[in-house]
Amino acid sequence: MVAMPAALAVTVTFSVAGANTAAIQPTVDSFRSSLGSLNPNTVGSVGSGRREINWDGVPDSLAAPNNLPGNFFNVNSPRGVVINTPGTGLMVSANAGLAPVEFGNINPSYPGLFAPFSAQRLFTPLGSNITDVSFFVPGTATAALTNGFGSVFSNVSLSLATSLQFFDAFNASLGTFYVPSIAGTETLSFLGVKFDDAIVARVRITSGTQILAAGNTASNLVVMDDWIYGEPIAAAGAATPDEGSTALLLGLALAIMASVRRVGLVACTNPARFFQRNR
């Protein structure tokens, strides 16, 4: 499989910021509609439509003050994503009555900064503002691709600081898109990007410039709510995201070696065909 070059990727962006859920709901729903109907959380890919994560299905035992396993939404609740961070862990905020809500377990002032889009839980990486989302055929270890991804954010107060960066199956960037900002606290922002084909293997989310911590009350602390993305489909023949360019170079080298007997490199309008035997 040959991934589409980033320069050829066609995208449609859905972007909005507002004071509450009602202010961003129409744009979120438009992004949902662009991806198709919501699929059940079952093993295997249905090939079209979308899946969503709103964090409220996470068991209390895996929510604050406890960490969330990064493979929860591929193994325990199969939705085809595995989550990583260069930080120290991942956390879903607690339900009321079990622990302080909206990451008040980390700092008691945080519930005054953040608000949920779909009540009542939120999500954040710990020890970092970076979250990596890799796609798999739901419930399996098979690498997958999606045609779009979007996230709701809370408390995006600084422009050009919160973003989604998309990568193809060979770890080449498909572009970085910035989440809209808005003044105030307990605000909501949404960014969704839809591609014209399923070419996205990984999304890197940068959430503001600050890290949630007991002593940190700085501005532009950002957390996430709902994730919405196109149904992950098998990336047949593609490398997994961390194999990236090594696999691509090896594949090209093998093709050259196999072509030493009178094989000419020709121009081709089909990007999957690089070599053709002379006749």
Side-chain angles (χ1 to χ4, degrees):
M1 176 179 177
V2 177
M4 179 182 292
L8 300 181
V10 178
T11 62
V12 179
T13 301
F14 299 75
S15 177
V16 66
N20 51 42
T21 294
I24 72 167
Q25 187 77 62
T27 302
V28 174
D29 288 343
S30 291
F31 182 67
R32 284 170 166 151
S33 296
S34 76
L35 296 176
S37 59
L38 179 63
N39 296 325
N41 302 324
T42 54
V43 174
S45 176
V46 301
S48 62
R50 72 180 196 274
R51 300 213 184 194
E52 297 191 10
I53 296 172
N54 63 13
W55 314 109
D56 294 305
V58 173
D60 292 330
S61 61
L62 298 179
N66 304 305
N67 285 11
L68 176 74
N71 65 357
F72 178 85
F73 287 105
N74 196 45
V75 175
N76 304 78
S77 181
R79 304 185 206 188
V81 300
V82 173
I83 312 169
N84 290 285
T85 178
T88 58
L90 307 165
M91 184 173 284
V92 174
S93 63
N95 281 323
L98 298 174
V101 299
E102 298 168 13
F103 303 114
N105 60 295
I106 299 176
N107 187 298
S109 70
Y110 287 170
L113 295 180
F114 309 131
F117 171 74
S118 57
Q120 61 180 302
R121 285 176 161 170
L122 298 164
F123 170 78
T124 188
L126 300 172
S128 175
N129 64 336
I130 300 295
T131 305
D132 284 309
V133 184
S134 298
F135 298 95
F136 294 84
V137 174
T140 78
T142 302
L145 301 171
T146 183
N147 65 344
F149 179 89
S151 176
V152 174
F153 299 84
S154 185
N155 200 49
V156 180
S157 59
L158 184 65
S159 62
L160 303 180
T162 298
S163 64
L164 303 178
Q165 184 176 13
F166 295 83
F167 294 86
D168 68 13
F170 301 107
N171 211 34
S173 177
L174 296 166
T176 300
F177 302 78
Y178 290 96
V179 179
S181 61
I182 183 172
T185 58
E186 298 187 287
T187 58
L188 296 172
S189 298
F190 175 75
L191 175 64
V193 181
K194 184 178 183 295
F195 291 75
D196 63 344
D197 201 359
I199 58 174
V200 177
R202 178 170 64 94
V203 180
R204 168 158 285 194
I205 305 171
T206 301
S207 306
T209 59
Q210 299 291 323
I211 296 170
L212 272 65
N216 191 2
T217 57
S219 62
N220 202 44
L221 287 158
V222 175
V223 298
M224 289 167 268
D225 202 345
D226 295 36
W227 288 356
I228 304 163
Y229 51 97
E231 176 74 6
I233 61 175
T240 54
D242 57 351
E243 292 170 338
S245 57
T246 300
L248 177 59
L249 291 174
L250 177 60
L252 290 175
L254 292 173
I256 293 170
M257 292 172 62
S259 305
V260 293
R261 294 181 58 192
R262 295 176 53 82
V263 175
L265 180 62
V266 297
C268 183
T269 57
N270 181 352
R273 296 178 59 199
F274 286 99
F275 298 93
Q276 178 174 316
R277 185 177 299 277
N278 287 340
R279 300 188 182 278

